[in-house]
Amino acid sequence: MEPPMSAAFDRNQSAGYLINHLARIFATALAEEIRPLGLAPGQFMVLLELWREEGQTQRSLTGRLDVEQATMANTLARMERDGLVVRRPHPQDGRAQSIHLTKRARALEGPATAAATAVNERMLRRLPAPSRAAFLEAMRAVIAEARRDA
């Protein structure tokens, strides 16, 4: 007689389970670090994209961050309310709006990225440099493959 399916599944051998668990741990730690700055993790990931390339459309941000359109719309509305971004008519597409950083958002780049760096350092401190590099490279490869499959 075969064991029930749940008994045969070892979550500690499941990449999906472990990645999800680790992502929740990282998100919680990041939320704690950036809360004093008035930011939430969802806002931080949008800011990372806009600090890199300002003036993107909502659609572009949705694609780059792999989130649902409704989630992005809600996040941007909160960020606009909180004085982090402003929307302007897109110069080439009259139907779209480009998203721009406010002075407040620009001023948060240093403290917010320092907070994220501190979380990463704390979470990965037990990994020697070569293992850390291999771990990050493996995650980038899995993400790239997942995007190809999507």
Side-chain angles (χ1 to χ4, degrees), residues 57 59 88-98:
T57 63
R59 183 178 190 162
R88 297 186 186 133
H90 193 275
Q92 286 87 32
D93 183 350
R95 299 168 298 157
Q97 294 180 320
S98 57

Side-chain angles (χ1 to χ4, degrees), residues 23-24 26-35 38-51 58 61-62 64-82 84-85 99 101 105 108 112 116:
R24 285 184 281 119
F26 264 83
T28 300
L30 178 64
E32 295 283 326
E33 287 288 328
I34 63 177
R35 183 177 296 120
L39 295 175
Q43 294 172 323
F44 179 67
M45 69 181 197
V46 172
L47 287 172
L48 283 174
E49 283 298 319
L50 292 173
W51 287 326
Q58 180 175 315
L61 289 167
T62 298
R64 288 181 181 200
L65 296 171
D66 297 314
V67 298
E68 297 291 325
Q69 185 73 18
T71 300
M72 182 58 68
N74 289 334
T75 299
L76 290 173
R78 282 192 309 274
M79 292 176 76
E80 198 168 24
R81 178 202 69 202
D82 294 346
L84 296 169
V85 298
I99 312 299
L101 297 166
L108 288 172

